Amino acid sequence: MDNPSKIIEGGVEYSLGKFDGKSVVYDFPKILDYLNVKGKLLFGEKFRIYNEDRRILMQLCSYFIKDKKNCDAYEIDINKGILLSGPVGCGKTSLMKLLRYIVPFQRPYEMIPCRNVAFGFNHLGFKTIEDYGNTKFYCFDDLGVEPAGRFYGKDLNVMGEVLLSRYDLYLNTKHKIKTHATTNLNAQELEDRYGNRVRSRMRELFNLIAFDERAGDKRK
């Protein structure tokens, strides 16, 4: 049987904890070591795990490895998706791209820029909404700053409609269909952008994990 506590990158084996044949007891420092290595492979040698992000990483890792005890302590529901919020350049997108790799046996999610969804609607119309209202797992990147949707003169808040579709899916499937997102906006800005109905659905769809609003821009 494959050992989910071990991951091989570039011929080197990394251990994320101990596997007893049934479950993995994860070791957080070992996960961080692996994320540092994988991050450099994905994003280049300048990538690194920042000390000030350890609290966020602990929450995210606890969610992805389904550590119920830690998730309960952080008030994270493992059936919901993640809404990762924080200022521009704090590393939200990189972390959501990266964290998929610590759980290679779990169903992966696709990273989809929200602007691509809006452009898709402007080109193809409502088929775009239907396409994302399917049973795939997605992480919608940069929620709230996508351009307005317009198709044959009809304006539409495209991502708002996609989130409503994803919410219906989440409610009506036995094995919860996961939706994740990243955003630079705070709760009030999201409500202003999408309205109260979508915002209330988002509370049921997502766990909110937020960087400190003073988090620096790591791209500088």
Coordinates of all heavy atoms in Angstrom, one line a residue, residues 41-90:
L41 N 10.4 24.7 -6.3 CA 10.2 24.0 -7.6 C 9.1 24.6 -8.4 O 9.3 24.8 -9.6 CB 9.9 22.5 -7.3 CG 11.0 21.6 -6.8 CD1 10.5 20.2 -6.4 CD2 12.1 21.5 -7.8
L42 N 8.1 25.1 -7.8 CA 6.9 25.6 -8.5 C 7.1 27.1 -8.9 O 6.7 27.5 -10.0 CB 5.6 25.5 -7.7 CG 5.0 24.1 -7.5 CD1 3.8 24.2 -6.5 CD2 4.5 23.5 -8.8
F43 N 7.7 27.9 -7.9 CA 7.7 29.3 -8.1 C 9.1 29.9 -8.2 O 9.2 31.1 -8.3 CB 6.9 30.0 -6.9 CG 5.6 29.4 -6.7 CD1 5.3 28.8 -5.4 CD2 4.6 29.4 -7.6 CE1 4.1 28.2 -5.2 CE2 3.3 28.8 -7.4 CZ 3.1 28.2 -6.2
G44 N 10.1 29.1 -8.1 CA 11.5 29.7 -8.3 C 12.2 29.8 -6.9 O 11.6 29.7 -5.9
E45 N 13.5 30.0 -7.0 CA 14.4 30.0 -5.8 C 14.0 31.1 -4.8 O 14.4 31.0 -3.6 CB 15.8 30.1 -6.2 CG 16.4 28.8 -6.7 CD 16.4 27.7 -5.6 OE1 16.7 27.9 -4.5 OE2 16.0 26.5 -6.0
K46 N 13.4 32.1 -5.2 CA 13.1 33.2 -4.3 C 12.0 32.8 -3.3 O 11.8 33.5 -2.3 CB 12.7 34.5 -5.1 CG 13.9 35.2 -5.7 CD 13.4 36.5 -6.3 CE 14.7 37.2 -6.8 NZ 14.3 38.5 -7.5
F47 N 11.2 31.8 -3.6 CA 10.1 31.4 -2.8 C 10.6 30.9 -1.4 O 11.6 30.2 -1.3 CB 9.3 30.2 -3.4 CG 8.2 29.8 -2.5 CD1 6.9 30.4 -2.5 CD2 8.4 28.7 -1.5 CE1 5.9 30.0 -1.7 CE2 7.4 28.3 -0.7 CZ 6.1 29.0 -0.8
R48 N 9.9 31.4 -0.3 CA 10.2 30.8 1.0 C 9.0 30.9 1.9 O 8.1 31.7 1.6 CB 11.4 31.5 1.6 CG 11.2 32.9 2.0 CD 12.5 33.5 2.5 NE 12.5 34.9 2.8 CZ 12.2 35.4 4.0 NH1 11.9 34.6 5.0 NH2 12.2 36.7 4.3
I49 N 9.0 30.1 2.9 CA 7.9 30.1 3.9 C 8.3 31.2 4.9 O 9.4 31.1 5.5 CB 7.8 28.7 4.6 CG1 7.3 27.6 3.6 CG2 6.8 28.8 5.8 CD1 5.9 27.8 3.0
Y50 N 7.4 32.1 5.2 CA 7.7 33.2 6.1 C 7.2 32.8 7.5 O 6.1 32.3 7.7 CB 7.0 34.5 5.7 CG 7.6 35.1 4.4 CD1 7.3 34.5 3.2 CD2 8.5 36.1 4.5 CE1 7.9 35.0 2.0 CE2 9.1 36.6 3.3 CZ 8.8 36.1 2.1 OH 9.3 36.6 0.9
N51 N 8.1 33.2 8.5 CA 7.7 32.9 9.9 C 6.4 33.5 10.3 O 5.6 33.0 11.0 CB 8.8 33.5 10.9 CG 9.7 32.4 11.3 OD1 9.4 31.2 11.2 ND2 10.9 32.7 11.8
E52 N 6.1 34.8 9.8 CA 4.9 35.5 10.2 C 3.6 34.8 9.6 O 2.5 35.1 10.0 CB 4.9 36.9 9.8 CG 5.0 37.2 8.3 CD 6.5 37.5 7.8 OE1 7.4 36.9 8.4 OE2 6.7 38.2 6.9
D53 N 3.8 33.9 8.7 CA 2.7 33.1 8.1 C 2.4 31.8 8.7 O 1.5 31.1 8.3 CB 2.9 32.9 6.6 CG 3.0 34.2 5.8 OD1 2.5 35.2 6.3 OD2 3.5 34.2 4.7
R54 N 3.1 31.5 9.8 CA 3.0 30.1 10.4 C 1.6 29.9 10.9 O 1.1 28.8 10.8 CB 4.0 29.9 11.5 CG 5.4 29.6 11.0 CD 6.4 29.5 12.1 NE 6.3 28.3 12.9 CZ 7.0 27.2 12.6 NH1 7.9 27.2 11.7 NH2 6.8 26.1 13.3
R55 N 1.0 30.9 11.5 CA -0.4 30.7 12.0 C -1.4 30.4 10.9 O -2.2 29.5 11.0 CB -0.9 32.0 12.8 CG -2.2 31.9 13.4 CD -2.7 33.2 14.0 NE -2.9 34.2 13.0 CZ -4.0 34.4 12.2 NH1 -5.0 33.6 12.4 NH2 -4.0 35.3 11.3
I56 N -1.3 31.1 9.8 CA -2.1 30.9 8.6 C -1.9 29.5 8.1 O -2.8 28.7 7.8 CB -1.8 31.9 7.5 CG1 -2.4 33.3 7.9 CG2 -2.4 31.5 6.2 CD1 -3.8 33.6 7.5
L57 N -0.6 29.1 8.0 CA -0.2 27.8 7.4 C -0.7 26.7 8.3 O -1.1 25.6 7.8 CB 1.3 27.7 7.3 CG 1.8 28.3 5.9 CD1 3.3 28.6 6.0 CD2 1.5 27.4 4.8
M58 N -0.6 26.9 9.6 CA -1.1 25.9 10.6 C -2.6 25.6 10.3 O -3.1 24.5 10.3 CB -0.9 26.3 12.0 CG -1.2 25.3 13.0 SD 0.0 23.9 13.0 CE -0.6 22.9 14.2
Q59 N -3.4 26.7 10.2 CA -4.8 26.6 9.9 C -5.0 25.9 8.6 O -5.9 24.9 8.5 CB -5.5 27.9 9.9 CG -5.5 28.6 11.2 CD -6.1 30.0 11.1 OE1 -7.3 30.2 10.8 NE2 -5.4 31.1 11.4
L60 N -4.3 26.3 7.5 CA -4.5 25.7 6.2 C -4.1 24.2 6.2 O -4.8 23.4 5.6 CB -3.8 26.5 5.1 CG -4.3 27.9 4.8 CD1 -3.3 28.7 4.0 CD2 -5.7 27.8 4.1
C61 N -3.0 23.9 6.8 CA -2.5 22.5 6.8 C -3.5 21.7 7.6 O -3.8 20.5 7.2 CB -1.1 22.5 7.4 SG 0.2 23.1 6.3
S62 N -3.9 22.2 8.7 CA -4.9 21.4 9.6 C -6.1 21.1 8.8 O -6.7 20.0 8.8 CB -5.3 22.2 10.8 OG -4.2 22.4 11.6
Y63 N -6.6 22.0 7.9 CA -7.7 21.8 7.1 C -7.5 20.7 6.0 O -8.2 19.8 5.9 CB -8.1 23.1 6.4 CG -9.2 22.9 5.4 CD1 -10.5 22.9 5.7 CD2 -8.8 22.9 4.0 CE1 -11.5 22.7 4.7 CE2 -9.8 22.7 3.0 CZ -11.1 22.6 3.4 OH -12.1 22.4 2.4
F64 N -6.3 20.9 5.3 CA -6.1 20.0 4.2 C -5.8 18.5 4.7 O -6.2 17.6 4.0 CB -4.9 20.5 3.3 CG -5.4 21.5 2.4 CD1 -5.1 22.9 2.6 CD2 -6.2 21.2 1.3 CE1 -5.6 23.9 1.8 CE2 -6.6 22.2 0.4 CZ -6.4 23.5 0.6
I65 N -5.1 18.4 5.9 CA -4.8 17.0 6.3 C -6.0 16.5 7.2 O -5.9 15.4 7.7 CB -3.5 17.0 7.1 CG1 -3.6 17.8 8.4 CG2 -2.3 17.4 6.3 CD1 -2.4 17.7 9.3
K66 N -7.0 17.3 7.3 CA -8.3 16.9 8.1 C -7.9 16.6 9.5 O -8.4 15.6 10.1 CB -9.0 15.8 7.4 CG -9.4 16.2 6.0 CD -10.3 15.1 5.3 CE -10.8 15.6 4.0 NZ -11.4 14.6 3.2
D67 N -7.2 17.5 10.2 CA -6.8 17.3 11.6 C -8.0 17.9 12.4 O -8.1 19.1 12.6 CB -5.5 18.1 11.9 CG -5.1 18.0 13.4 OD1 -6.0 17.8 14.2 OD2 -3.9 18.0 13.6
K68 N -8.9 17.0 12.8 CA -10.2 17.5 13.4 C -10.0 18.3 14.7 O -10.6 19.3 14.9 CB -11.1 16.3 13.7 CG -12.5 16.7 14.1 CD -13.5 15.6 13.9 CE -14.9 16.1 14.2 NZ -15.1 17.2 15.1
K69 N -9.0 17.8 15.5 CA -8.8 18.5 16.7 C -8.4 20.0 16.5 O -8.9 20.9 17.1 CB -7.7 17.8 17.5 CG -7.5 18.3 19.0 CD -6.5 17.5 19.7 CE -6.1 18.1 21.0 NZ -5.0 17.5 21.6
N70 N -7.4 20.2 15.6 CA -6.9 21.5 15.3 C -8.0 22.3 14.6 O -8.2 23.5 14.9 CB -5.7 21.5 14.5 CG -4.4 21.5 15.3 OD1 -4.4 21.8 16.5 ND2 -3.3 21.1 14.6
C71 N -8.7 21.7 13.7 CA -9.8 22.4 13.0 C -10.9 22.9 13.9 O -11.3 24.0 13.8 CB -10.4 21.5 11.9 SG -9.3 21.4 10.4
D72 N -11.2 22.0 14.9 CA -12.2 22.4 15.9 C -11.7 23.7 16.7 O -12.4 24.6 17.0 CB -12.5 21.3 16.9 CG -13.4 20.2 16.2 OD1 -13.9 20.5 15.1 OD2 -13.5 19.1 16.8
A73 N -10.4 23.6 17.0 CA -9.8 24.7 17.8 C -9.8 26.0 17.0 O -10.0 27.1 17.6 CB -8.4 24.4 18.2
Y74 N -9.6 25.9 15.7 CA -9.7 27.1 14.8 C -11.0 27.4 14.3 O -11.2 28.3 13.5 CB -8.7 26.9 13.6 CG -7.2 26.9 14.0 CD1 -6.5 25.8 13.6 CD2 -6.6 27.9 14.6 CE1 -5.1 25.7 13.9 CE2 -5.3 27.9 14.9 CZ -4.5 26.8 14.6 OH -3.2 26.8 14.9
E75 N -12.1 26.6 14.7 CA -13.4 26.8 14.2 C -13.5 26.6 12.7 O -14.1 27.5 12.0 CB -14.0 28.1 14.7 CG -14.1 28.2 16.2 CD -14.8 29.5 16.7 OE1 -15.0 30.4 15.9 OE2 -15.1 29.5 17.9
I76 N -12.8 25.6 12.2 CA -12.8 25.3 10.7 C -13.6 24.1 10.5 O -13.5 23.1 11.2 CB -11.4 25.1 10.2 CG1 -10.6 26.4 10.3 CG2 -11.3 24.5 8.8 CD1 -9.1 26.2 10.0
D77 N -14.6 24.2 9.6 CA -15.4 23.0 9.2 C -14.8 22.4 8.0 O -14.7 23.0 6.9 CB -16.8 23.6 8.9 CG -17.8 22.5 8.5 OD1 -17.4 21.4 8.1 OD2 -19.0 22.8 8.5
I78 N -14.4 21.1 8.1 CA -13.7 20.4 7.0 C -14.6 20.1 5.8 O -14.1 19.7 4.8 CB -12.9 19.2 7.5 CG1 -13.7 18.2 8.2 CG2 -11.7 19.6 8.3 CD1 -13.0 16.9 8.6
N79 N -15.9 20.2 6.0 CA -16.8 20.0 4.9 C -16.9 21.2 3.9 O -17.3 21.1 2.8 CB -18.2 19.6 5.4 CG -18.2 18.3 5.9 OD1 -17.7 17.3 5.4 ND2 -18.8 18.1 7.1
K80 N -16.6 22.4 4.5 CA -16.7 23.6 3.7 C -15.4 23.8 2.9 O -14.4 23.2 3.2 CB -16.9 24.8 4.6 CG -18.2 24.9 5.3 CD -18.3 26.2 6.1 CE -19.6 26.3 6.9 NZ -19.7 27.6 7.6
G81 N -15.4 24.8 2.0 CA -14.2 25.2 1.3 C -13.5 26.3 2.1 O -13.8 26.6 3.2
I82 N -12.4 26.8 1.5 CA -11.6 27.9 2.1 C -11.7 29.1 1.3 O -11.6 29.1 0.1 CB -10.1 27.5 2.1 CG1 -9.8 26.3 3.0 CG2 -9.2 28.6 2.5 CD1 -9.9 26.5 4.5
L83 N -12.0 30.2 2.0 CA -11.9 31.6 1.5 C -10.7 32.2 2.1 O -10.7 32.5 3.3 CB -13.1 32.4 1.7 CG -13.1 33.9 1.2 CD1 -12.9 33.9 -0.3 CD2 -14.3 34.6 1.6
L84 N -9.6 32.3 1.4 CA -8.3 32.9 1.9 C -8.2 34.3 1.5 O -8.2 34.7 0.3 CB -7.1 32.1 1.3 CG -5.8 32.4 1.9 CD1 -5.7 32.2 3.4 CD2 -4.7 31.6 1.2
S85 N -8.3 35.2 2.5 CA -8.3 36.7 2.2 C -7.0 37.3 2.8 O -6.4 36.8 3.7 CB -9.5 37.3 2.8 OG -9.4 37.5 4.2
G86 N -6.7 38.4 2.1 CA -5.5 39.2 2.6 C -5.1 40.2 1.5 O -5.6 40.2 0.4
P87 N -4.2 41.1 1.9 CA -3.8 42.2 1.0 C -3.0 41.6 -0.3 O -2.6 40.5 -0.3 CB -2.9 43.0 1.8 CG -2.6 42.4 3.1 CD -3.5 41.2 3.2
V88 N -3.0 42.5 -1.3 CA -2.3 42.1 -2.5 C -0.8 41.7 -2.2 O -0.1 42.4 -1.5 CB -2.3 43.3 -3.5 CG1 -1.4 43.1 -4.7 CG2 -3.7 43.7 -3.9
G89 N -0.4 40.6 -2.8 CA 1.0 40.2 -2.7 C 1.4 39.4 -1.5 O 2.5 39.1 -1.3
C90 N 0.4 39.1 -0.6 CA 0.8 38.4 0.6 C 1.0 36.9 0.5 O 1.5 36.2 1.4 CB -0.3 38.7 1.7 SG -1.9 37.9 1.4

